[in-house]
Amino acid sequence: MGGSCAQRQRPGRPQVLFTLLLLPLFCPALGQPVRYSIPEELDRGSVVGNLAKDLGLSVLEVSARKLRVSAEKLHFSVDAESGDLLVKDRIDREQICKERRKCELQLEAVVENPLNIFHVVVEIEDINDHAPQFEKKETRLEILESVSVGTRIHLQPATDPDINLNSIKDYQISSNPYFSLMVRVNPDGGKTPELSLEKLLDREEQRSHRLILTALDGGDPPRSATTQIEITVKDINDNPPVFSKEEYRISVSENLPPGSSVLQVTATDEDEGINAEISYYIQSTAQSTRHVFSLDEKTGVIKNNQPLDFEEVERYTMEVEAKDGGGLSTQCKIIIDVLDENDNSPEIIITSLSEGILENSPPGVVVALFKTRDRDVGGNGEVTCEIGKDLPFKIHASSSNYYKLVTDGAIDREQNPQYNVTITATDRGKPPLSSSTTITLHITDVNDNAPAFQKSSYIVHVAENNPPGASIAQVSASDPDLGSNGHISYSIIASDLEPKSLWSYVTVNAQSGVVFAQRAFDHEQLRSFQLTLQARDQGSPALSANVSMRVLVGDRNDNAPRVLYPALEPDGSALFDMVPRAAEPGYLVTKVVAVDADSGHNAWLSYHVLQASDPGLFSLGLRTGEVRTARALGDKDAARQRLLVGVRDGGQPPLSATATLLLVFADSLQEALPDLSDHPLPPDPQAELQFYLVVALALISVLFLLAVILAIALRLRHSSSPSVWGCFQSGVCSKTRPGVSLNYSEGTLPYSYNLCVGHTGKAELNFLKCSAPLPSAEDVVCGSSPGALIPLHVGDDLTTHPETLTPQAPPNTDWRFSQAQRPGTSGSQNGDETGTWPNNQFDTEMLQAMILASASEAADGSSTLGGGAGTMGLSARYGPQFTLQHVPDYRQNVYIPGSNATLSNGAGKRDGKAPAGGGNGNKKKSGKKEKK
């Protein structure tokens, strides 16, 4: 059934696309459409033909290339599996083509990959689906009795919308002796029935005749219609009207206004009187024509009742009957041709439109297919198309009235996410008419933009002791791409921290870029650290950008000052300083040494006298901590003096610590010992209060531990493991009042002890495990108040203060520092009031170790009092071997005034022996232990 060159021998699948592209060049019959012929009223789903085969497409290419058909009113569809052209809707030839004898439907077959269009013509064949029909069910005729034999009387023919063989084929009339039926064939092939008089009429014999006229079509089986004819015999009228022309033809413009005169027909009758009065009637004309035109019965003027439209009907045909008063009539044929005018603007029909265009599409990519249609003919129907300027697109004419819209430049979605393209179609009429339509072309995103951070780098300041999980910063990056191409996730890819511990410090939210601290930072342990964060999109392939972030941990005043000197002895006894009775004003008695683990102003220490036995006897350096005599010793002044010194840092709020100084005016140690043993100083109320608070806290802790142990014991009593229960058997541990707290902390240096107390009645403590050595005895006694000193234990048994029973192990004195390694600022021996203090934890710990090392040497008694140059004042008391090469140069914080006395070793003191030398040393132990 196909009639195009696409029906030739089909090439192989790899050559199909290439062949279709070359068809316009090498196929001479490309202009001929694929033709099919089907009868009307075909059932829905009926196969018209294998369109895919006729186009040279395989079954697989039907769905792959999306074969489909398009038309103004789609009566057909394509089977996606077989490629058959199927009937989709009812096909009524009479409704579709009206009075046209040749009925054809124009279709366009569209295929993609590549995009192409084929013309398809489906011819609708008529079937006998309509029966003939008379305009009137009954026809009345009047015939003069003088009509001669053989006279023909025109009858109104029946109409049948079917054509060819299915149209009216014959007429039949009922039997009658006076009349016979004659069928006249018109020039256009139509048939008109006529009555032929077989014998003369006699009105007196029979006044009327009734006949039945039957119209038969040529269908199989034939259809028919009948009408009754009633003939009345009248008096004589022997001349029928005669038209001036048997056929009238006229051409009128389609722009003719309604009500205009189109044509006037005239007929004459040689009779006179009423028999010569002619009336005009429209006969044997379709109803549609009757509605468009009207005929004046008296004048024969034909007018148009409605506007004419060349695009609807190109020609009107009608028959006009002229009838005289005697009943005689004659007919003529009228043909009215409608002339075309440029009264229709071109139409733009979009047949295919791409849903999205990749922004990296090269020039020449087809983005839309459209066609134009102008219902006018000739030059009025010739159309040209154009689009606006400055657009990356252009139009290519592919075939008659079909166009392609293709890319013609670079496309960037970030600059223009969509284009509104206006297509204008203009015909060649006079004047030309045009129309336009706008299509929207959406640009599909491609991942061609990497994320970009708002800053080139980030510096974040975080104060220490921040709450874990708090947000410390937020990074933000932008990506102009869309969807997953613009969806950014954040991550940490590098750091100067240990990789294993990185996630315990900071994390970043992958969606928001918020950086969270996973722990509380400590300025004394970590000053700053570096992070490298990455912003990565979700495109394929993914693009990313990196940015550096430096986190600076700021210092807070979270460490109280720590008094390094004076310190308690390991057995709990306090040190005292001897002052020569002849000391002049300004004599350097001693120096309070304290450090603060904080930095900056938080570690800027100041010294204040809180309590003094004689406030005017001594002066205290505000920044140096040096205790000097303010005046000479008077006769009324007590030989023993007590100073309570407070050390306060510069933080907000400030933290402080206290130190107690015991000063004895004596020229020798033998002179000072009786005063220390015979006249003990009254106890310090504040120190006693602190001691009682510590004891109360320890009792509460013991009660809580006993309750926990009892609960565990009751639970383990039901346990089947004897080894677990054996640890709590009698004889291993017994309950008694502990003398020290199990856990305490000072500043940023926490300590904890595991303790098993001894039996009741024994002044002995057995330490099972110590997690860190105690720096000094005063840390045990005043763990909650760093720097506080306890009163001298004069005349008391050592068991009174069990917390002093466990001595601290001597620290490692192997310190070696070069001059370049000495941190901080060195001061003079006397020091000034504005000295610089250590600013970090490491300097603090080194200073503490230095002081403990000095104390250890003093305890060994191997160094003589006095000093030389370059010892920061320490060699004056502990010997010349303790020089600057052992410790950092913190002169203003470490200087301790001395004398030339030589201390005895620890063994000598325990045995109650006097020191080897009789110098004027002013550092002695007080208490019952020395008295022995």
Side-chain angles (χ1 to χ4, degrees):
M1 288 186 291
S4 74
C5 62
Q7 292 179 305
R8 298 179 181 180
Q9 185 175 0
R10 295 162 52 191
R13 175 180 174 83
Q15 302 175 353
V16 171
L17 300 179
F18 182 74
T19 303
L20 292 177
L21 291 174
L22 296 181
L23 280 177
L25 298 176
F26 301 99
C27 183
L30 181 63
Q32 298 180 4
V34 179
R35 304 186 66 88
Y36 298 96
S37 178
I38 61 171
E40 64 173 330
E41 300 295 343
L42 205 59
D43 294 336
R44 289 180 175 86
S46 299
V47 178
V48 177
N50 193 317
L51 181 59
K53 180 179 179 181
D54 295 335
L55 295 178
L57 301 177
S58 65
V59 176
L60 296 178
E61 290 177 313
V62 172
S63 58
R65 299 190 62 187
K66 298 181 181 179
L67 176 62
R68 60 187 183 276
V69 294
S70 63
E72 295 182 21
K73 185 174 181 182
L74 197 59
H75 296 277
F76 304 93
S77 62
V78 178
D79 190 330
E81 296 181 359
S82 63
D84 292 334
L85 184 65
L86 307 179
V87 177
K88 181 181 179 182
D89 199 358
R90 180 192 175 199
I91 300 176
D92 188 354
R93 190 199 66 82
E94 289 76 25
Q95 182 180 2
I96 296 174
C97 298
K98 296 181 172 58
E99 298 179 4
R100 287 182 292 178
R101 302 188 65 83
K102 189 174 184 179
C103 184
E104 293 180 347
L105 294 181
Q106 305 289 334
L107 307 177
E108 288 83 31
V110 181
V111 293
E112 298 180 1
N113 300 322
L115 198 61
N116 209 340
I117 295 179
F118 301 90
H119 298 280
V120 180
V121 177
V122 180
E123 181 179 0
I124 309 302
E125 298 178 353
D126 182 54
I127 63 173
N128 191 24
D129 57 341
H130 294 85
Q133 185 177 4
F134 288 95
E135 184 178 355
K136 298 179 180 180
K137 295 295 183 182
E138 184 175 359
T139 303
R140 296 180 180 274
L141 299 177
E142 292 181 353
I143 302 177
L144 293 174
E145 61 179 349
S146 60
V147 174
S148 60
V149 175
T151 301
R152 294 187 175 186
I153 303 172
H154 177 78
L155 298 178
Q156 179 182 1
T159 59
D160 192 339
D162 296 328
I163 61 173
N164 298 332
L165 296 178
N166 297 321
S167 62
I168 296 176
K169 181 180 181 181
D170 196 7
Y171 290 91
Q172 295 178 358
I173 196 170
S174 58
S175 176
N176 186 279
Y178 292 95
F179 300 95
S180 63
L181 183 63
M182 303 295 292
V183 178
R184 177 170 60 87
V185 179
N186 299 325
D188 58 351
K191 296 181 179 181
T192 303
E194 294 180 348
L195 285 178
S196 177
L197 187 61
E198 297 295 328
K199 72 177 186 178
L200 294 174
L201 299 175
D202 188 359
R203 190 186 66 83
E204 288 73 17
E205 182 179 354
Q206 188 173 353
R207 301 182 57 153
S208 63
H209 302 269
R210 183 175 293 274
L211 304 175
I212 296 176
L213 178 63
T214 302
L216 300 173
D217 61 18
D220 185 16
R223 295 175 178 265
S224 62
T226 60
T227 182
Q228 292 185 357
I229 300 176
E230 185 174 357
I231 301 175
T232 300
V233 180
K234 292 184 65 176
D235 250 356
I236 224 169
N237 181 23
D238 53 353
N239 292 297
V242 177
F243 281 100
S244 59
K245 296 180 181 179
E246 290 187 0
E247 182 177 291
Y248 291 85
R249 182 182 292 271
I250 190 173
S251 298
V252 295
S253 172
E254 62 175 331
N255 293 334
L256 188 68
S260 300
S261 176
V262 178
L263 175 67
Q264 183 177 12
V265 296
T266 57
T268 57
D269 194 322
E270 295 180 357
D271 295 328
E272 293 181 355
I274 192 173
N275 294 326
E277 294 180 0
I278 301 174
S279 299
Y280 301 93
Y281 305 96
I282 296 178
Q283 299 289 339
S284 184
T285 304
Q287 291 290 348
S288 58
T289 304
R290 290 175 179 268
H291 294 158
V292 176
F293 299 98
S294 61
L295 175 63
D296 190 304
E297 295 182 357
K298 299 300 181 181
T299 62
V301 176
I302 300 175
K303 297 181 179 182
N304 62 323
N305 300 326
Q306 300 177 1
L308 304 180
D309 192 351
F310 172 82
E311 289 72 31
E312 292 290 338
V313 180
E314 300 178 7
R315 174 181 294 178
Y316 293 93
T317 301
M318 67 182 72
E319 289 187 359
V320 175
E321 178 185 42
K323 189 174 185 180
D324 59 19
L328 297 179
S329 62
T330 186
Q331 293 80 29
C332 70
K333 188 172 184 178
I334 298 176
I335 299 174
I336 302 175
D337 292 321
V338 181
L339 300 179
D340 181 49
E341 299 289 343
N342 191 25
D343 58 346
N344 292 280
S345 299
E347 299 179 41
I348 301 175
I349 302 172
I350 306 298
T351 58
S352 181
L353 181 64
S354 298
E355 295 181 357
I357 306 170
L358 293 177
E359 60 178 324
N360 59 352
S361 298
V365 175
V366 179
V367 298
L369 284 177
F370 63 95
K371 68 177 181 178
T372 59
R373 182 184 64 180
D374 195 321
R375 301 176 66 184
D376 297 325
V377 296
N380 297 330
E382 296 181 5
V383 179
T384 58
C385 295
E386 62 180 6
I387 60 175
K389 298 180 180 179
D390 300 329
L391 290 175
F393 305 99
K394 64 180 180 180
I395 296 177
H396 280 170
S398 59
S399 60
S400 177
N401 296 334
Y402 279 87
Y403 303 88
K404 295 179 181 178
L405 184 64
V406 299
T407 57
D408 189 37
I411 300 174
D412 190 354
R413 188 207 62 80
E414 285 71 35
Q415 294 183 359
N416 290 305
Q418 67 180 25
Y419 289 90
N420 295 321
V421 180
T422 300
I423 304 173
T424 303
T426 306
D427 61 24
R428 299 183 184 276
K430 299 294 183 180
L433 299 179
S434 64
S435 63
S436 62
T437 185
T438 301
I439 59 176
T440 301
L441 300 177
H442 298 278
I443 309 303
T444 303
D445 184 52
V446 175
N447 191 24
D448 56 348
N449 292 278
F453 283 96
Q454 294 181 354
K455 298 180 180 179
S456 59
S457 63
Y458 291 83
I459 298 179
V460 180
H461 296 270
V462 182
E464 65 174 334
N465 301 328
N466 57 291
S471 169
I472 62 173
Q474 182 176 13
V475 296
S476 179
S478 61
D479 194 324
D481 294 325
L482 285 181
S484 60
N485 296 331
H487 182 72
I488 300 176
S489 61
Y490 302 90
S491 61
I492 301 176
I493 61 173
S495 173
D496 56 2
L497 299 172
E498 290 293 333
K500 295 182 179 179
S501 61
L502 171 61
W503 300 111
S504 65
Y505 280 88
V506 290
T507 58
V508 62
N509 187 289
Q511 304 300 324
S512 63
V514 177
V515 181
F516 295 95
Q518 296 298 102
R519 64 193 302 176
F521 298 143
D522 190 350
H523 173 80
E524 289 71 36
Q525 295 182 2
L526 181 65
R527 298 293 181 89
S528 65
F529 57 92
Q530 189 88 11
L531 300 176
T532 301
L533 295 96
Q534 183 181 81
R536 186 182 184 90
D537 59 28
Q538 306 300 319
S540 179
L543 301 178
S544 62
N546 298 338
V547 70
S548 64
M549 174 181 288
R550 183 167 184 81
V551 181
L552 304 178
V553 181
D555 183 52
R556 284 184 176 177
N557 192 25
D558 57 344
N559 292 282
R562 181 176 181 183
V563 178
L564 301 180
Y565 182 86
L568 295 177
E569 287 294 322
D571 58 0
S573 60
L575 299 176
F576 66 91
D577 290 276
M578 288 195 309
V579 184
R581 293 182 179 274
E584 297 295 330
Y587 175 80
L588 179 62
V589 178
T590 186
K591 183 174 182 178
V592 179
V593 180
V595 294
D596 195 315
D598 294 322
S599 301
H601 288 283
N602 295 329
W604 190 263
L605 302 181
S606 61
Y607 300 85
H608 309 272
V609 177
L610 302 181
Q611 292 181 2
S613 301
D614 190 347
L617 186 57
F618 299 98
S619 64
L620 179 64
L622 178 64
R623 296 298 179 186
T624 63
E626 294 178 349
V627 180
R628 296 177 181 270
T629 56
R631 59 179 175 83
L633 179 67
D635 296 337
K636 297 182 180 181
D637 293 331
R640 289 184 301 163
Q641 297 290 330
R642 179 177 178 272
L643 291 180
L644 181 61
V645 178
V647 184
R648 185 169 60 225
D649 60 24
Q652 293 295 332
L655 301 178
S656 62
T658 59
T660 302
L661 299 177
L662 299 179
L663 306 177
V664 179
F665 284 91
D667 293 329
S668 64
L669 181 61
Q670 289 78 7
E671 182 184 353
L673 288 177
D675 293 335
L676 294 174
S677 59
D678 297 339
H679 304 283
L681 290 175
D684 185 5
Q686 182 178 1
E688 291 182 355
L689 178 60
Q690 294 178 351
F691 173 75
Y692 293 141
L693 289 176
V694 171
V695 172
L697 180 60
L699 288 175
I700 295 174
S701 301
V702 168
L703 292 177
F704 174 74
L705 288 176
L706 290 177
V708 173
I709 293 172
L710 180 60
I712 296 175
L714 292 177
R715 185 171 186 84
L716 292 178
R717 185 181 298 273
H718 304 286
S719 174
S720 61
S721 174
S723 61
V724 176
W725 177 250
C727 180
F728 300 93
Q729 297 298 324
S730 175
V732 177
C733 297
S734 62
K735 294 179 289 183
T736 184
R737 183 181 65 85
V740 295
S741 61
L742 298 181
N743 293 279
Y744 80 101
S745 63
E746 177 182 357
T748 59
L749 302 175
Y751 300 88
S752 62
Y753 297 88
N754 295 327
L755 177 64
C756 181
V757 299
H759 295 283
T760 304
K762 293 184 179 181
E764 181 180 2
L765 297 178
N766 296 322
F767 284 86
L768 300 180
K769 181 181 179 182
C770 179
S771 60
L774 292 176
S776 64
E778 67 174 314
D779 292 334
V780 178
V781 178
C782 303
S784 61
S785 300
L789 300 178
I790 63 174
L792 289 173
H793 310 310
V794 180
D796 295 336
D797 187 74
L798 292 177
T799 58
T800 306
H801 299 281
E803 64 272 8
T804 64
L805 291 178
T806 305
Q808 175 182 347
N812 182 12
T813 61
D814 188 14
W815 291 85
R816 295 295 184 268
F817 295 92
S818 64
Q819 185 67 26
Q821 292 175 317
R822 298 171 188 168
T825 304
S826 300
S828 64
Q829 178 175 349
N830 293 333
D832 57 53
E833 297 296 320
T834 60
T836 303
W837 298 94
N839 291 330
N840 56 66
Q841 178 183 357
F842 305 102
D843 296 345
T844 302
E845 293 177 354
M846 288 188 289
L847 181 58
Q848 175 186 358
M850 178 273 297
I851 298 300
L852 294 178
S854 301
S856 176
E857 291 184 6
D860 294 338
S862 60
S863 62
T864 60
L865 298 176
T871 61
M872 295 168 45
L874 296 178
S875 62
R877 181 178 297 273
Y878 302 119
Q881 70 275 18
F882 199 93
T883 60
L884 286 176
Q885 66 179 354
H886 292 81
V887 296
D889 187 7
Y890 291 125
R891 297 181 182 179
Q892 66 176 16
N893 295 330
V894 180
Y895 180 80
I896 302 175
S899 67
N900 52 9
T902 302
L903 296 179
S904 61
N905 55 26
K909 293 181 181 180
R910 285 191 296 271
D911 297 337
K913 297 179 181 180
N920 295 326
N922 60 354
K923 295 294 180 180
K924 301 298 178 182
K925 295 184 181 179
S926 62
K928 186 175 181 180
K929 187 174 183 181
E930 283 192 353
K931 188 175 182 181
K932 292 180 182 179

